[in-house]
Amino acid sequence: QMCIRDRYQRRVRDSGNSDTAASSFRVARQLLNRLENVDTGVIHAAGFDNGIPADHEAAAEEVAKIMGDAVWRDLPLCDGVKPVSDDIKTLLLNKTWRAQLSVTGASGLPALADAGNVLRSQTSLKLSLRLPPNVDGATAAAALKKLVETDPPYNAKVEFSVDKAATGWFAPQSAPWLSSVLQDSSQQFFGKPVAYCGIGGSIPFIGKLAIKFPSTQFVVTGVLGPGSNAHGPNEHIDIPFTKKMTCCVASVLAAQAVKANQGEAAKKQKI
């Protein structure tokens, strides 16, 4: 949360003052420009990016070929509104491997009907900065606080506080046995090769499991697709697709059981 106060302790008339002192909203815009390129949406400040693993970038390219415009067509955009890029791979990597900024709330701004020709005394913004999964949340939060509070424009009074900082998670490279069963089950039940894709969501439980069991293989999947409208009105799933996905997951569990039994048998032979 970022709060900017100008030198006025109260509202003053805009006439004869806006050419002397910058509005707190202009200061807020300048501070956000330190973090984000307003024309492209790229987070250009240091400390919020740690590179994209080659295998994940290659996976995004394959998914882009499969999904095409469905990556963004499901969004309820107004007629004629376009996505931030025409390149599908770019959109997929934006979802997962590039930091993204949103302003999710504001205070200090009156309702349109109540707004007048005055310089307001302060502007507060609630920011949401989604981070790549290989960037530490606490470190990034500290970097953002320093970025906006250091040497503010016009010596304005800027206060930044962090409500919550979390670190994401991404799956390690799959073991050969797991890659094999995923590929085989996808071909068997869907008639197509398996594909891998991330999503910019927050499921802290997965990250905690990965820390607790660092050598464990993970398969994180689901049955929502285009039009499913997750967490919204008329949320739904496609039943035939869900049945096929259930069969794929069952195949993974069966393969894991076979692998575990083979491991136990090998231990007994050594004994």
Side-chain angles (χ1 to χ4, degrees), residues 17-253:
N17 291 297
S18 60
D19 55 354
T20 304
S23 73
S24 57
F25 194 80
R26 187 203 298 181
V27 174
R29 288 163 54 200
Q30 289 178 291
L31 293 174
L32 293 180
N33 285 345
R34 293 180 176 183
L35 175 66
E36 179 195 50
N37 183 316
V38 68
D39 293 320
T40 64
V42 172
I43 302 301
H44 52 204
F48 307 98
D49 173 58
N50 199 20
I52 304 175
D55 57 329
H56 286 264
E57 186 163 2
E61 188 166 355
E62 290 302 313
V63 172
K65 296 175 184 177
I66 297 170
M67 296 191 66
D69 288 351
V71 168
W72 66 271
R73 286 290 184 188
D74 193 39
L75 294 175
L77 301 177
C78 294
D79 291 342
V81 176
K82 298 179 180 180
V84 297
S85 174
D86 294 328
D87 183 70
I88 303 301
K89 177 184 174 182
T90 295
L91 295 179
L92 288 170
L93 293 176
N94 284 350
K95 286 174 173 285
T96 51
W97 286 102
R98 297 187 180 113
Q100 302 292 322
L101 174 69
S102 295
V103 178
T104 59
S107 67
L109 298 170
L112 291 177
D114 301 324
N117 295 327
V118 298
L119 277 176
R120 297 172 299 99
S121 59
Q122 63 91 21
T123 298
S124 295
L125 300 178
K126 185 69 171 289
L127 308 180
S128 172
L129 181 63
R130 195 176 72 232
L131 298 171
N134 57 355
V135 173
D136 180 73
T139 302
L144 183 54
K145 180 178 177 66
K146 182 178 180 181
L147 181 71
V148 300
E149 289 187 344
T150 301
D151 192 22
Y154 312 107
N155 201 32
K157 306 304 178 185
V158 179
E159 300 171 4
F160 182 86
S161 60
V162 179
D163 288 346
K164 186 182 296 183
T167 302
W169 173 86
F170 64 99
Q173 193 165 15
S174 298
W177 73 268
L178 181 56
S179 295
S180 178
V181 69
L182 289 172
Q183 188 67 258
D184 292 345
S185 61
S186 182
Q187 290 285 6
Q188 180 180 355
F189 299 109
F190 287 97
K192 297 178 180 179
V194 67
Y196 301 88
C197 185
I199 188 170
S202 297
I203 311 178
F205 181 63
I206 300 297
K208 292 178 180 179
L209 280 176
I211 293 173
K212 185 71 174 178
F213 306 102
S215 61
T216 299
Q217 293 284 294
F218 285 84
V219 176
V220 181
T221 188
V223 294
L224 295 180
S228 293
N229 203 26
H231 310 308
N234 194 31
E235 179 179 11
H236 63 280
I237 59 175
D238 182 86
I239 299 299
F241 173 83
T242 302
K243 289 181 178 180
K244 294 176 183 179
M245 179 62 75
T246 301
C247 291
C248 289
V249 173
S251 297
V252 172
L253 295 176

